[in-house]
Amino acid sequence: MRVLIQRVKQAAVTVGGQEVGKIKHGLCLFVGFTHGDDEAALDYAVKKITGLRIFEDDAQKMNLALAEVGGEILSISQFTLYGDVKKGRRPSFIKSLPGEQAKALYEQFNAKLQDTGTVVQTGVFGADMDISILNHGPVTFMIDTNEM
């Protein structure tokens, strides 16, 4: 499982010109799954994401976690996180988990995030989405549960 995390001042997702998710302040997550991902990977990612101290305190140091700043999450499924561009010019997606399996894990992941008390907005799994992000910092991190 890979999660690209961006600290944002605001983020929104539209599908077919209609806004389906929006947050004011918090984290925009791009989430991808690969073969072998399981509940342990989801639990690790949720704990890591909600516990990351990447928001600034009064001294302008990254010292606060999402809940401490009243932040929200916009979670976007993104199978291209497992795209392989090493050979040729066309990416290979054989490392990406097939749609139905990935969708089940994505929904379970978002439910686990919500269980922490975090407000979670999402895109539409498998849809062609337009994402609007105002990255603050910029601050961007990558979690790969295969490296845990």
Side-chain angles (χ1 to χ4, degrees):
M1 175 179 184
R2 289 182 180 158
V3 183
L4 181 72
I5 303 165
Q6 294 193 333
R7 185 179 74 181
V8 298
K9 288 186 176 182
Q10 63 187 29
V13 55
T14 58
V15 176
Q18 182 175 14
E19 188 173 86
V20 296
K22 181 178 184 176
I23 64 169
K24 293 180 183 174
H25 171 71
L27 301 174
C28 183
L29 309 179
F30 294 97
V31 185
F33 298 96
T34 192
H35 307 278
D37 284 344
D38 57 13
E39 191 164 355
L42 300 179
D43 291 340
Y44 173 83
V46 167
K47 184 176 180 181
K48 182 60 79 174
I49 291 163
T50 57
L52 279 176
R53 296 174 10 182
I54 59 174
F55 293 91
E56 295 173 350
D57 62 15
D58 292 337
Q60 304 304 313
K61 295 196 185 249
M62 283 192 216
N63 204 25
L64 301 174
L66 186 66
E68 294 172 298
V69 298
E72 302 171 322
I73 288 176
L74 178 62
S75 176
I76 306 295
S77 62
Q78 187 167 0
F79 76 96
T80 61
L81 289 176
Y82 279 98
D84 186 348
V85 296
K86 291 178 185 168
K87 295 181 184 177
R89 297 181 297 159
R90 183 171 182 227
S92 168
F93 298 106
I94 60 173
K95 292 181 183 178
S96 297
L97 196 62
E100 286 305 311
Q101 293 171 321
K103 183 178 182 181
L105 285 174
Y106 176 67
E107 289 173 353
Q108 190 177 2
F109 171 69
N110 291 327
K112 286 177 176 286
L113 285 170
Q114 289 174 332
D115 287 347
T116 69
T118 304
V119 172
V120 179
Q121 296 285 311
T122 66
V124 176
F125 186 91
D128 185 10
M129 297 176 273
D130 293 320
I131 317 298
S132 172
I133 301 168
L134 182 55
N135 187 315
H136 181 173
V139 174
T140 303
F141 295 97
M142 175 70 83
I143 292 175
D144 189 330
T145 60
N146 291 321
E147 297 174 0
M148 60 182 196

